[in-house]
Amino acid sequence: MTVEKIELFLCRLPLVHFFETSFGRSYDRTFVLIRVVGGGQEGWGEAVAEANPYYSSETTETVWHIISGFIAPLVIGKRFDHPRDISPALKRIRGHNMAKAGVEMAIWDLYAKSIGQPLSKALGGTRDRIASGVSIGIQDSFDQLLEKIEKELAAGYQRIKIKIKPGWDIEAVERVRAKFGKIGLQVDANAAYTLDDADLLAKLDPYDLLLIEQPLDYDDVMDHATLQRRIKTPVCLDESIHTVRIARDAIAAKACKIINIKPGRVGGHQASIELHDLCAASGIPVWHGGMLESGIGRAHNIHLASLPNFSLPGDIAASKRYYQPDLIDPPIDIAKDGTIAVPQGPGIGVNIVRDRIDKATLRQLSL
Ligand code: OSB
Ligand code: MG
């Protein structure tokens, strides 16, 4: 397999509803799409870096810089037997996992199309539907939060995740439990706390949460281990897990009981498979995170989440919660039982609407 050309699209789409985390509020999302061409076929990927370096140190502009200046020259015109060989070929570039993942995932799509298989099958997926949950941002009021949760539960989502930050934490959880009882519920702090907050976070213990995601700093492992000894809620790491090696260390240190996998954060599908397998061998359940992807990144996530150790519902929800219209048609939708079908066509198996991409594009580059 040889990639003959790489195209980049810097895109911006308005969000259907603002999304607020402990970093702040966004009304739209800026991201980079990657199109690879080879053997008369095309593959698509989405780099999930945001316009600002708050969730991750990468941004849309660093993705652009790293792909155009460093990744493209290592990929274009080179022969690869299998997409698992892309990641090792990019090893001399340190970090920049989202840039690497955007290209690697586009090549997985191209590869799966070239052998006429759904991406899920090429990745080693074992199911044809995935369990879906929603991530609900910080709202203007608790009433607004409860209203949103009611709507998502009525749509069938299997679990609710709410974002927390100091001042929007124990009371939010208390109110959600009071109104909705024993629903599957988890929280995500996006690194908004320190170990000094351990006693406060222990107040979540009675609420029987599935997990607390990334309570402490993005580059921290050891304080999470200390925190886990002081609270009952299982700690799940997101931001901290950039590599399979950090995951191995975090598991050994008992810094988490659960891991969230986002292919962008770890460098693509191959690294995600390795992380998934490490967690399976270590008895650590995983679930698929989300980065407010367009239908292109979302389709990739669905295929990856079909692997067997994705045993908790993911942050992979219907397109219409994010973008209307999405860049794919038909959009991703959920069934009444809160599951999403894994597309069965070749590659990511979704129809990309080129004129919607063109309309969302701020800048384009052909390499
Ligand atoms: O921490 O999981 C996160 C979105 C952007 C950046 C970080 C995160 C999120 C989400 C949204 O929680 C998940 C989704 O619905 O795509
Ligand atoms: Mg998170």
Side-chain angles (χ1 to χ4, degrees), residues 3 11 15 38 43-44 66 70-71 89 110 129 132 168 174 186 246 274 281 313 318 326 337 362:
V3 175
C11 296
L15 284 163
W44 285 88
I66 295 293
F70 302 97
I71 296 177
L110 180 69
R129 307 195 69 85
S132 179
W168 181 277
E174 205 270 312
Q186 63 194 53
I246 294 172
E274 288 166 20
D326 200 341
D337 67 351
L362 307 170

PDB file of all heavy atoms in Angstrom, residues 3 11 15 38 43-44 66 70-71 89 110 129 132 168 174 186 246 274 281 313 318 326 337 362:
ATOM      1  N   VAL A   3       0.757   5.544  -0.058  1.00  0.00           N
ATOM      2  CA  VAL A   3      -0.011   6.787  -0.013  1.00  0.00           C
ATOM      3  C   VAL A   3       0.614   7.753  -1.010  1.00  0.00           C
ATOM      4  O   VAL A   3       1.794   8.077  -0.918  1.00  0.00           O
ATOM      5  CB  VAL A   3       0.006   7.395   1.409  1.00  0.00           C
ATOM      6  CG1 VAL A   3      -0.689   8.745   1.432  1.00  0.00           C
ATOM      7  CG2 VAL A   3      -0.643   6.446   2.403  1.00  0.00           C
ATOM      8  N   CYS A  11     -11.144  22.875   9.427  1.00  0.00           N
ATOM      9  CA  CYS A  11     -12.609  23.053   9.388  1.00  0.00           C
ATOM     10  C   CYS A  11     -13.126  23.671  10.677  1.00  0.00           C
ATOM     11  O   CYS A  11     -12.519  23.492  11.742  1.00  0.00           O
ATOM     12  CB  CYS A  11     -13.297  21.698   9.222  1.00  0.00           C
ATOM     13  SG  CYS A  11     -12.909  20.895   7.678  1.00  0.00           S
ATOM     14  N   LEU A  15     -21.433  24.154  17.119  1.00  0.00           N
ATOM     15  CA  LEU A  15     -22.023  23.076  17.930  1.00  0.00           C
ATOM     16  C   LEU A  15     -23.521  23.337  18.109  1.00  0.00           C
ATOM     17  O   LEU A  15     -23.943  24.491  18.262  1.00  0.00           O
ATOM     18  CB  LEU A  15     -21.363  23.031  19.308  1.00  0.00           C
ATOM     19  CG  LEU A  15     -19.960  22.422  19.376  1.00  0.00           C
ATOM     20  CD1 LEU A  15     -19.261  22.808  20.686  1.00  0.00           C
ATOM     21  CD2 LEU A  15     -20.014  20.898  19.243  1.00  0.00           C
ATOM     22  N   GLY A  38      -4.527   6.742  -2.447  1.00  0.00           N
ATOM     23  CA  GLY A  38      -3.581   5.709  -2.895  1.00  0.00           C
ATOM     24  C   GLY A  38      -4.322   4.595  -3.610  1.00  0.00           C
ATOM     25  O   GLY A  38      -5.429   4.233  -3.200  1.00  0.00           O
ATOM     26  N   GLY A  43      -8.894   7.640   1.814  1.00  0.00           N
ATOM     27  CA  GLY A  43      -9.184   7.349   3.216  1.00  0.00           C
ATOM     28  C   GLY A  43      -9.279   8.670   3.961  1.00  0.00           C
ATOM     29  O   GLY A  43      -8.625   9.649   3.590  1.00  0.00           O
ATOM     30  N   TRP A  44     -10.120   8.693   5.015  1.00  0.00           N
ATOM     31  CA  TRP A  44     -10.330   9.934   5.766  1.00  0.00           C
ATOM     32  C   TRP A  44     -10.017   9.749   7.249  1.00  0.00           C
ATOM     33  O   TRP A  44     -10.339   8.710   7.829  1.00  0.00           O
ATOM     34  CB  TRP A  44     -11.790  10.390   5.642  1.00  0.00           C
ATOM     35  CG  TRP A  44     -12.129  10.991   4.312  1.00  0.00           C
ATOM     36  CD1 TRP A  44     -12.549  10.320   3.198  1.00  0.00           C
ATOM     37  CD2 TRP A  44     -12.065  12.374   3.956  1.00  0.00           C
ATOM     38  NE1 TRP A  44     -12.757  11.211   2.164  1.00  0.00           N
ATOM     39  CE2 TRP A  44     -12.476  12.480   2.598  1.00  0.00           C
ATOM     40  CE3 TRP A  44     -11.707  13.551   4.637  1.00  0.00           C
ATOM     41  CZ2 TRP A  44     -12.532  13.705   1.926  1.00  0.00           C
ATOM     42  CZ3 TRP A  44     -11.774  14.769   3.963  1.00  0.00           C
ATOM     43  CH2 TRP A  44     -12.166  14.836   2.625  1.00  0.00           C
ATOM     44  N   ILE A  66       2.921  19.874  12.054  1.00  0.00           N
ATOM     45  CA  ILE A  66       3.597  18.569  12.195  1.00  0.00           C
ATOM     46  C   ILE A  66       3.255  17.647  11.022  1.00  0.00           C
ATOM     47  O   ILE A  66       4.135  16.952  10.502  1.00  0.00           O
ATOM     48  CB  ILE A  66       3.240  17.924  13.558  1.00  0.00           C
ATOM     49  CG1 ILE A  66       3.796  18.772  14.712  1.00  0.00           C
ATOM     50  CG2 ILE A  66       3.734  16.486  13.632  1.00  0.00           C
ATOM     51  CD1 ILE A  66       5.312  18.833  14.823  1.00  0.00           C
ATOM     52  N   PHE A  70       6.503  17.231   8.855  1.00  0.00           N
ATOM     53  CA  PHE A  70       7.242  16.062   9.354  1.00  0.00           C
ATOM     54  C   PHE A  70       6.600  14.707   9.066  1.00  0.00           C
ATOM     55  O   PHE A  70       7.313  13.756   8.785  1.00  0.00           O
ATOM     56  CB  PHE A  70       7.485  16.221  10.872  1.00  0.00           C
ATOM     57  CG  PHE A  70       8.247  17.473  11.200  1.00  0.00           C
ATOM     58  CD1 PHE A  70       7.579  18.629  11.590  1.00  0.00           C
ATOM     59  CD2 PHE A  70       9.634  17.510  11.080  1.00  0.00           C
ATOM     60  CE1 PHE A  70       8.285  19.799  11.868  1.00  0.00           C
ATOM     61  CE2 PHE A  70      10.348  18.673  11.356  1.00  0.00           C
ATOM     62  CZ  PHE A  70       9.667  19.825  11.746  1.00  0.00           C
ATOM     63  N   ILE A  71       5.273  14.623   9.178  1.00  0.00           N
ATOM     64  CA  ILE A  71       4.634  13.313   8.976  1.00  0.00           C
ATOM     65  C   ILE A  71       4.511  13.001   7.480  1.00  0.00           C
ATOM     66  O   ILE A  71       4.886  11.899   7.034  1.00  0.00           O
ATOM     67  CB  ILE A  71       3.248  13.251   9.665  1.00  0.00           C
ATOM     68  CG1 ILE A  71       3.434  13.382  11.193  1.00  0.00           C
ATOM     69  CG2 ILE A  71       2.515  11.949   9.310  1.00  0.00           C
ATOM     70  CD1 ILE A  71       2.138  13.417  11.987  1.00  0.00           C
ATOM     71  N   ALA A  89       6.905   3.981  11.956  1.00  0.00           N
ATOM     72  CA  ALA A  89       7.607   4.841  10.987  1.00  0.00           C
ATOM     73  C   ALA A  89       7.619   6.306  11.436  1.00  0.00           C
ATOM     74  O   ALA A  89       8.411   7.103  10.947  1.00  0.00           O
ATOM     75  CB  ALA A  89       6.951   4.715   9.611  1.00  0.00           C
ATOM     76  N   LEU A 110      -8.180   3.803   4.384  1.00  0.00           N
ATOM     77  CA  LEU A 110      -7.747   3.479   3.013  1.00  0.00           C
ATOM     78  C   LEU A 110      -7.451   1.983   2.877  1.00  0.00           C
ATOM     79  O   LEU A 110      -7.877   1.319   1.913  1.00  0.00           O
ATOM     80  CB  LEU A 110      -6.490   4.301   2.687  1.00  0.00           C
ATOM     81  CG  LEU A 110      -5.874   4.098   1.300  1.00  0.00           C
ATOM     82  CD1 LEU A 110      -6.792   4.662   0.219  1.00  0.00           C
ATOM     83  CD2 LEU A 110      -4.501   4.791   1.216  1.00  0.00           C
ATOM     84  N   ARG A 129     -22.669  -3.894  17.267  1.00  0.00           N
ATOM     85  CA  ARG A 129     -23.298  -2.709  17.860  1.00  0.00           C
ATOM     86  C   ARG A 129     -22.469  -2.311  19.074  1.00  0.00           C
ATOM     87  O   ARG A 129     -21.917  -3.178  19.763  1.00  0.00           O
ATOM     88  CB  ARG A 129     -24.742  -2.996  18.309  1.00  0.00           C
ATOM     89  CG  ARG A 129     -25.638  -3.594  17.237  1.00  0.00           C
ATOM     90  CD  ARG A 129     -27.109  -3.506  17.624  1.00  0.00           C
ATOM     91  NE  ARG A 129     -27.581  -2.138  17.621  1.00  0.00           N
ATOM     92  CZ  ARG A 129     -28.019  -1.492  16.539  1.00  0.00           C
ATOM     93  NH1 ARG A 129     -28.072  -2.096  15.375  1.00  0.00           N
ATOM     94  NH2 ARG A 129     -28.425  -0.245  16.626  1.00  0.00           N
ATOM     95  N   SER A 132     -23.807   3.032  23.901  1.00  0.00           N
ATOM     96  CA  SER A 132     -23.606   4.474  23.801  1.00  0.00           C
ATOM     97  C   SER A 132     -24.005   5.220  25.075  1.00  0.00           C
ATOM     98  O   SER A 132     -25.060   4.969  25.667  1.00  0.00           O
ATOM     99  CB  SER A 132     -24.432   4.969  22.607  1.00  0.00           C
ATOM    100  OG  SER A 132     -24.298   6.347  22.459  1.00  0.00           O
ATOM    101  N   TRP A 168     -19.249  22.854  41.194  1.00  0.00           N
ATOM    102  CA  TRP A 168     -20.274  22.149  40.393  1.00  0.00           C
ATOM    103  C   TRP A 168     -19.914  20.662  40.475  1.00  0.00           C
ATOM    104  O   TRP A 168     -19.387  20.085  39.530  1.00  0.00           O
ATOM    105  CB  TRP A 168     -20.257  22.662  38.949  1.00  0.00           C
ATOM    106  CG  TRP A 168     -21.289  22.043  38.019  1.00  0.00           C
ATOM    107  CD1 TRP A 168     -21.164  20.853  37.345  1.00  0.00           C
ATOM    108  CD2 TRP A 168     -22.575  22.559  37.643  1.00  0.00           C
ATOM    109  NE1 TRP A 168     -22.289  20.608  36.600  1.00  0.00           N
ATOM    110  CE2 TRP A 168     -23.173  21.635  36.753  1.00  0.00           C
ATOM    111  CE3 TRP A 168     -23.285  23.719  37.976  1.00  0.00           C
ATOM    112  CZ2 TRP A 168     -24.429  21.839  36.191  1.00  0.00           C
ATOM    113  CZ3 TRP A 168     -24.534  23.918  37.404  1.00  0.00           C
ATOM    114  CH2 TRP A 168     -25.100  22.998  36.529  1.00  0.00           C
ATOM    115  N   GLU A 174     -25.628  14.875  43.614  1.00  0.00           N
ATOM    116  CA  GLU A 174     -26.709  14.641  44.569  1.00  0.00           C
ATOM    117  C   GLU A 174     -28.071  14.863  43.898  1.00  0.00           C
ATOM    118  O   GLU A 174     -28.977  14.045  44.026  1.00  0.00           O
ATOM    119  CB  GLU A 174     -26.492  15.628  45.726  1.00  0.00           C
ATOM    120  CG  GLU A 174     -27.081  15.197  47.039  1.00  0.00           C
ATOM    121  CD  GLU A 174     -28.500  15.690  47.197  1.00  0.00           C
ATOM    122  OE1 GLU A 174     -28.702  16.896  46.942  1.00  0.00           O
ATOM    123  OE2 GLU A 174     -29.377  14.873  47.550  1.00  0.00           O
ATOM    124  N   GLN A 186     -21.513   8.708  35.799  1.00  0.00           N
ATOM    125  CA  GLN A 186     -20.085   8.929  36.051  1.00  0.00           C
ATOM    126  C   GLN A 186     -19.772  10.407  35.884  1.00  0.00           C
ATOM    127  O   GLN A 186     -20.571  11.156  35.326  1.00  0.00           O
ATOM    128  CB  GLN A 186     -19.225   8.074  35.106  1.00  0.00           C
ATOM    129  CG  GLN A 186     -19.375   8.393  33.636  1.00  0.00           C
ATOM    130  CD  GLN A 186     -18.776   7.309  32.748  1.00  0.00           C
ATOM    131  OE1 GLN A 186     -19.101   6.122  32.875  1.00  0.00           O
ATOM    132  NE2 GLN A 186     -17.907   7.700  31.827  1.00  0.00           N
ATOM    133  N   ILE A 246       2.877   4.562  29.710  1.00  0.00           N
ATOM    134  CA  ILE A 246       2.315   5.277  30.873  1.00  0.00           C
ATOM    135  C   ILE A 246       1.150   4.477  31.456  1.00  0.00           C
ATOM    136  O   ILE A 246       0.988   4.385  32.670  1.00  0.00           O
ATOM    137  CB  ILE A 246       1.862   6.708  30.489  1.00  0.00           C
ATOM    138  CG1 ILE A 246       3.069   7.559  30.102  1.00  0.00           C
ATOM    139  CG2 ILE A 246       1.117   7.368  31.653  1.00  0.00           C
ATOM    140  CD1 ILE A 246       2.702   8.925  29.524  1.00  0.00           C
ATOM    141  N   GLU A 274      -3.123  -1.705  21.088  1.00  0.00           N
ATOM    142  CA  GLU A 274      -2.119  -2.166  22.067  1.00  0.00           C
ATOM    143  C   GLU A 274      -2.533  -1.799  23.495  1.00  0.00           C
ATOM    144  O   GLU A 274      -2.381  -2.596  24.428  1.00  0.00           O
ATOM    145  CB  GLU A 274      -0.743  -1.601  21.712  1.00  0.00           C
ATOM    146  CG  GLU A 274      -0.178  -2.281  20.465  1.00  0.00           C
ATOM    147  CD  GLU A 274       1.019  -1.564  19.833  1.00  0.00           C
ATOM    148  OE1 GLU A 274       1.682  -0.750  20.524  1.00  0.00           O
ATOM    149  OE2 GLU A 274       1.280  -1.819  18.634  1.00  0.00           O
ATOM    150  N   ALA A 281      -5.403  -7.663  29.411  1.00  0.00           N
ATOM    151  CA  ALA A 281      -4.519  -8.611  30.102  1.00  0.00           C
ATOM    152  C   ALA A 281      -4.351  -8.239  31.578  1.00  0.00           C
ATOM    153  O   ALA A 281      -3.985  -9.086  32.390  1.00  0.00           O
ATOM    154  CB  ALA A 281      -3.153  -8.645  29.406  1.00  0.00           C
ATOM    155  N   PRO A 313     -20.164   1.653  28.367  1.00  0.00           N
ATOM    156  CA  PRO A 313     -20.641   2.526  27.284  1.00  0.00           C
ATOM    157  C   PRO A 313     -19.672   3.682  27.031  1.00  0.00           C
ATOM    158  O   PRO A 313     -19.087   4.228  27.964  1.00  0.00           O
ATOM    159  CB  PRO A 313     -21.986   3.051  27.812  1.00  0.00           C
ATOM    160  CG  PRO A 313     -22.402   2.068  28.862  1.00  0.00           C
ATOM    161  CD  PRO A 313     -21.141   1.542  29.473  1.00  0.00           C
ATOM    162  N   ALA A 318     -25.090  10.156  19.114  1.00  0.00           N
ATOM    163  CA  ALA A 318     -25.643  10.478  17.797  1.00  0.00           C
ATOM    164  C   ALA A 318     -25.091  11.808  17.274  1.00  0.00           C
ATOM    165  O   ALA A 318     -24.887  12.756  18.041  1.00  0.00           O
ATOM    166  CB  ALA A 318     -27.166  10.552  17.879  1.00  0.00           C
ATOM    167  N   ASP A 326     -24.354  17.006   9.985  1.00  0.00           N
ATOM    168  CA  ASP A 326     -23.012  16.452  10.165  1.00  0.00           C
ATOM    169  C   ASP A 326     -22.330  16.406   8.784  1.00  0.00           C
ATOM    170  O   ASP A 326     -22.963  16.677   7.756  1.00  0.00           O
ATOM    171  CB  ASP A 326     -23.125  15.038  10.765  1.00  0.00           C
ATOM    172  CG  ASP A 326     -21.824  14.571  11.431  1.00  0.00           C
ATOM    173  OD1 ASP A 326     -20.750  15.131  11.141  1.00  0.00           O
ATOM    174  OD2 ASP A 326     -21.895  13.622  12.237  1.00  0.00           O
ATOM    175  N   ASP A 337     -32.463   1.100  22.250  1.00  0.00           N
ATOM    176  CA  ASP A 337     -31.773   0.411  23.347  1.00  0.00           C
ATOM    177  C   ASP A 337     -30.423   1.052  23.676  1.00  0.00           C
ATOM    178  O   ASP A 337     -29.631   0.484  24.431  1.00  0.00           O
ATOM    179  CB  ASP A 337     -31.587  -1.078  22.997  1.00  0.00           C
ATOM    180  CG  ASP A 337     -30.625  -1.290  21.816  1.00  0.00           C
ATOM    181  OD1 ASP A 337     -30.236  -0.294  21.152  1.00  0.00           O
ATOM    182  OD2 ASP A 337     -30.253  -2.447  21.556  1.00  0.00           O
ATOM    183  N   LEU A 362     -11.792  26.308   6.290  1.00  0.00           N
ATOM    184  CA  LEU A 362     -11.190  27.643   6.387  1.00  0.00           C
ATOM    185  C   LEU A 362      -9.893  27.702   5.589  1.00  0.00           C
ATOM    186  O   LEU A 362      -9.482  28.774   5.145  1.00  0.00           O
ATOM    187  CB  LEU A 362     -10.866  27.965   7.848  1.00  0.00           C
ATOM    188  CG  LEU A 362     -12.014  27.827   8.870  1.00  0.00           C
ATOM    189  CD1 LEU A 362     -11.489  27.945  10.295  1.00  0.00           C
ATOM    190  CD2 LEU A 362     -13.060  28.908   8.609  1.00  0.00           C
TER     191      LEU A 362
END
